[in-house]
């Protein structure tokens, strides 16, 4: 069965089979039938089968009574005219019983159809169900009391079948509700037992007790399908059930767990995850009583996926969140929820640790430097051990499979770590290459993060002493360390701060309400707080101010519970401006609301990071709303910090060469790391015994940058910054030593610290800028 297909019954017998075994199929088929006439036509043939089945049961009952000579054995339990007419011929007795009660059978059969049609089609679900219950009960009592054993047994069986099947079918097709199916079918089929066994045998003083016990037992027997369980148990003894062949594929109304099935299915799903996925999807879609089994099989399939994809970060990706809502599975088809299923939830720290471990392994996979891969793999190995220890504390019903998988991961990780160490030793025999190629630094790169102590101290001092929370703006050229500063904030601030960072480039083209939802999710993930944010945007949530109000309310609640100040850092905030620019008026209202709230509380710090000033952004104009914003400027490294960065790898640089490297780059951290990385690579490849760096080594590394047309730092400056603001002509004038004629362009280049004034003339601040521009862009 495909998930989105609505199947049509092949014939009326299949429709009846759906009534008994596939209530969801019957309901979905019912949804496709419009109008009462169409529903009556759909019910016509199945009703004929019900009538035929009832008649056959009736004949069988008569034959049973006549064959066992019951009136002769129990004369006191039969009407006098029945006993008087009894003979020694079973055939004659059968004919007598048939003629004696055929009229009553027809009346009852017709009455059964009339009851469900009259009340089922005329009234709503609740009213129709209640009245059918009363009428059916009164009818059954009347039949049992007036008919004795001969009439009660025959009528009970036939009336129970006709009424139960007809009632369930009517509610299934007429009301589009599986509630009527389960209750009606159980109520009617219970009459199969009760009609004769209770009413026929209990017409004396014990009638009430016998009726109550018999009817309750029969109702439970059929409502919860207990009569099928022995068959499934016996069949499973001879043919072991598998994920592909088991009773759940044939019967959609199995209320209670089948003994031993869950463990068998989980083991198979662990060994064959794809089959487990397929079966769990089938259960979630078509078997509402088996959501517990579906989830457990799904978890075993996840563990099997981990088992088959060891030390691969994608194995952890998209792991489902097991929320509180999954813990209690309500049986949507049941009237009395005796089959309530409880799912054992993981501890609150287990799923976040899965994501932490995935990110640690992703760092390894994305790193090209062999020595750094070893460093990151050791971090991943520590996180893997934490995940294993946490898995040992999860509920054994499903946690045991993750423990098995992670034990294999640990063995594979040990082998892979040894291989990486051998690879690093062969690739870097002289010195480890610790430098990054311009990418954002991580807290694990703490030795490379230099020269930001003053920024940290200024930030902490302003926040701690503020009565109302200021808004901070981290500004600086691209590739100078703004994103790295945000990444290091959790480690350089004390325990009084909780940092939540969000890079606007993660979801390009996103709408503002969707963006606020993503940031809410990040806040909850970082602070490890269960999220109640909607998974999909509601219509009213698409209004920007409504979205902001919902976001602010959630954030206020979190801030009130936290004992630390929350720093919400938005990197590449220019991308947010692009969203606001699509509706400037709404953008202005949003910025005003953000400013007002920021100034009215002292628990949440807004921190925006980008290359452009607030005053550069118009429509809406950020500068008008955040005049009092605290600006933290991230500049190049100073001389001492630059020298320390160059010497980190342990190579020996002559003092003159150190000074030249600083003067050429002016301490630009990205260029310094690229140059140092190339120098370390050259030293390791030459196999020299000395760690001394020569002028020729530096010249070769510098030439790589100056001859790289696609150098990212240069392209950011020339093709993005200068192109966007119309600064290229002014930059060319500076390169030619001319006096710039565009005061606006000159001021922007100076404010962003790309040019400096020296001896009455303007020049590029970093000579390495000038060398690349003269080669590729100057005219």
């Amino acid at each position: 069965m495909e998930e989105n297909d609505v199947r049509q019954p092949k014939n009326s017998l299949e429709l009846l089979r759906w009534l008994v075994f596939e209530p969801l199929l019957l309901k979905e088929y019912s949804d496709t039938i419009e109008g009462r006439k169409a529903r009556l036509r759909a019910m016509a043939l199945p009703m004929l089968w019900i009538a035929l089945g009832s008649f056959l049961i009736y004949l069988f009952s008569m034959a049973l009574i006549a064959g066992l000579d019951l009136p002769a054995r129990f004369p006191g339990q039969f009407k006098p005219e029945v006993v008087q007419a009894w003979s020694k011929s079973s055939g004659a007795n059968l004919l007598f019983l048939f003629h004696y009660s055929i009229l009553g059978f027809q009346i009852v059969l017709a009455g059964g159809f009339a009851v469900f049609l009259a009340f089922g089609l005329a009234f709503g679900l609740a009213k129709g169900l209640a009245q059918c219950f009363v009428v059916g009960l009164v009818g059954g009592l009347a039949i049992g009391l007036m008919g004795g054993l001969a009439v009660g047994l025959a009528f009970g069986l036939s009336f129970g079948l006709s009424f139960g099947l007809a009632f369930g079918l009517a509610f299934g097709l007429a009301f589009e509700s599986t509630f009527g199916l389960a209750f009606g079918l159980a109520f009617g089929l219970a009459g199969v037992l009760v009609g004769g066994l209770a009413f026929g045998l209990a017409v004396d003083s014990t009638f009430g007790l016998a009726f109550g016990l018999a009817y309750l037992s029969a109702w439970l027997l059929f409502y919860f399908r207990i009569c099928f369980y022995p068959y499934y148990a016996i069949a499973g003894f001879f043919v072991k059930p598998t994920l592909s062949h088991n009773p759940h594929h044939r019967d959609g109304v199995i209320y209670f767990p089948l003994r031993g099935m869950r463990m068998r299915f989980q083991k198979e799903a662990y060994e064959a995850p794809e089959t487990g996925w397929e079966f769990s999807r089938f259960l979630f879609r078509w078997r509402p009583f088996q959501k517990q089994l579906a989830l457990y099989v799904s978890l075993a399939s996840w563990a099997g996926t981990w088992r088959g994809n060891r030390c691969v970060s994608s194995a952890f990706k998209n792991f489902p969140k097991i929320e509180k809502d999954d813990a209690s599975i309500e049986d949507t088809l049941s009237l009395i929820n005796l089959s309530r299923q409880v799912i054992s939830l993981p501890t609150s720290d287990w799923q976040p640790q899965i994501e932490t471990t995935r990110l640690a392994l992703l760092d390894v996979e994305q790193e090209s430097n062999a020595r750094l891969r070893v460093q990151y793999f050791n971090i991943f190995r520590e996180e893997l051990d934490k995940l294993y220890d946490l898995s040992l504390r999860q509920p054994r019903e499903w946690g045991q499979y993750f423990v098995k998988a992670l034990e294999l991961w640990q063995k594979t990780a040990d082998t892979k770590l040894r291989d990486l160490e051998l690879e690093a030793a062969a690739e870097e025999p002289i010195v480890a290459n610790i430098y990054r190629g311009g990418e954002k630094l991580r807290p694990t790169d703490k030795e490379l993060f230099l020269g930001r102590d003053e920024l940290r101290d200024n930030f902490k001092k302003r926040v701690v002493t503020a009565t109302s929370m200021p808004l901070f703006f981290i500004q600086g050229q691209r590739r100078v360390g703004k994103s790295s500063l945000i990444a290091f904030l959790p480690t350089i601030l004390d325990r009084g701060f909780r940092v939540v960072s969000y890079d606007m480039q993660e979801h390009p083209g996103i709408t503002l309400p969707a963006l606020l939802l993503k940031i809410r999710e990040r806040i909850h993930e970082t602070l490890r707080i269960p999220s109640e944010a909607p998974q999909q945007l509601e219509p009213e949530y698409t209004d920007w101010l409504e979205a902001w109000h919902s976001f602010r309310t959630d954030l206020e609640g979190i801030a009130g519970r936290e004992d630390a100040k929350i720093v919400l850092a938005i990197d590449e905030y220019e991308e947010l401006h692009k969203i606001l620019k699509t509706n400037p008026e709404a953008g202005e209202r949003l910025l005003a609301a953000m400013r007002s709230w920021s100034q009215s509380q002292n628990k949440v710090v807004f921190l925006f990071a980008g290359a452009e000033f607030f005053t550069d952004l118009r429509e809406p104009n950020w500068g008008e709303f955040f005049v009092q914003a605290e600006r933290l400027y991230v500049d190049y490294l100073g001389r001492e910090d630059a020298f320390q960065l160059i010497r980190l790898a342990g190579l020996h640089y002559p003092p003159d060469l150190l000074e030249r490297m600083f003067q050429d780059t002016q301490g630009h951290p990205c260029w310094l790391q690229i140059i140092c990385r190339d120098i370390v690579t050259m030293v390791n490849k030459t196999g020299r015994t000395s760690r001394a760096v020569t002028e020729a080594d530096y010249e070769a590394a510098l030439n790589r940058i100056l001859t790289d047309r696609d150098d990212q730092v240069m392209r950011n400056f020339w093709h993005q910054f200068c192109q966007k603001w119309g600064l290229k002509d002014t930059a060319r004038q500076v390169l030619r030593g001319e006096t710039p004629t565009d005061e606006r362009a000159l001021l922007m280049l100076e404010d962003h610290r790309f040019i400096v004034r020296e001896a009455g003339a303007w020049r590029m601040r970093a000579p390495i800028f000038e060398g690349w521009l003269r080669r590729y862009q100057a005219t």
Side-chain angles (χ1 to χ4, degrees), residues 725-728 730 742-750 755:
W725 299 106
L727 309 178
K728 286 188 175 182
T730 301
D742 188 335
E743 290 292 335
R744 179 198 65 82
L746 179 65
L747 183 61
M748 182 164 282
L749 286 170
E750 182 184 16
I755 62 174

Side-chain angles (χ1 to χ4, degrees), residues 642-643 646-647 653-663:
F643 288 176
I646 295 170
R647 295 191 183 108
Y653 291 83
D656 291 345
L657 182 56
L658 284 174
E659 184 63 29
R660 182 186 171 189
M661 292 174 68
F662 175 74
Q663 291 299 330

Side-chain angles (χ1 to χ4, degrees), residues 435-441 479 669-671 673-674 677:
Y435 297 103
R436 313 286 293 182
E439 56 267 43
K440 178 176 68 175
L441 298 181
R479 304 281 176 163
C670 180
W671 279 327
Q673 290 213 54
I674 292 175
R677 182 190 62 183

Side-chain angles (χ1 to χ4, degrees), residues 26 170 183 232 262 272 306 320 355 450 635 660 732 736 778:
L26 182 63
F183 181 84
Y232 293 142
R262 176 178 63 81
W306 291 10
E355 180 63 11
L450 302 169
D635 202 1
R660 182 186 171 189
R732 291 188 179 103
R736 292 194 295 264

Side-chain angles (χ1 to χ4, degrees), residues 146-208:
M146 74 180 184
L149 180 61
V151 179
L153 179 59
F155 281 12
L157 294 174
S158 59
F159 178 80
L161 180 64
S162 63
F163 182 83
L165 292 179
F167 187 90
L169 186 65
F171 271 88
L173 293 177
F175 287 101
E176 308 170 12
S177 169
T178 53
F179 178 82
L181 299 182
F183 181 84
L185 187 61
F187 170 71
L189 293 182
V192 171
L193 295 182
V194 175
L197 299 181
F199 295 143
L201 294 175
V203 293
D204 55 10
S205 60
T206 61
F207 166 76

Side-chain angles (χ1 to χ4, degrees), residues 667-717:
H668 194 293
C670 180
W671 279 327
L672 277 177
Q673 290 213 54
I674 292 175
I675 290 171
C676 290
R677 182 190 62 183
D678 288 349
I679 289 174
V680 170
T681 299
M682 285 186 288
V683 169
N684 282 317
K685 284 185 176 180
T686 57
R688 68 183 75 174
T689 57
S690 171
R691 293 192 173 198
V693 179
T694 65
E695 193 87 13
D697 294 330
Y698 172 66
E699 289 288 351
L702 180 63
N703 191 58
R704 289 180 185 276
I705 293 178
L706 296 179
T707 58
D708 182 5
R709 182 183 292 272
D710 294 323
D711 178 82
Q712 193 60 50
V713 178
M714 300 297 190
R715 290 185 65 84
N716 285 337
F717 168 71

Side-chain angles (χ1 to χ4, degrees), residues 207-268:
F207 166 76
L209 177 61
F211 167 74
L213 293 176
Y215 189 82
L216 178 61
S217 301
W219 192 87
L220 292 174
L221 181 67
F222 285 101
Y223 185 79
F224 290 110
R225 315 293 300 281
I226 299 173
C227 53
F228 290 98
Y229 283 75
Y231 166 75
Y232 293 142
I234 295 172
F237 180 78
F238 293 100
V239 180
K240 299 301 181 183
T242 66
L243 292 174
S244 302
H245 301 284
N246 62 74
H248 293 291
H249 284 287
R250 303 184 297 275
D251 191 345
V253 202
I254 298 177
Y255 278 78
F256 302 106
L258 299 174
R259 183 176 178 81
M261 290 279 188
R262 176 178 63 81
M263 295 183 62
R264 180 184 297 275
F265 291 162
Q266 284 181 285
K267 182 178 180 181
E268 185 178 349

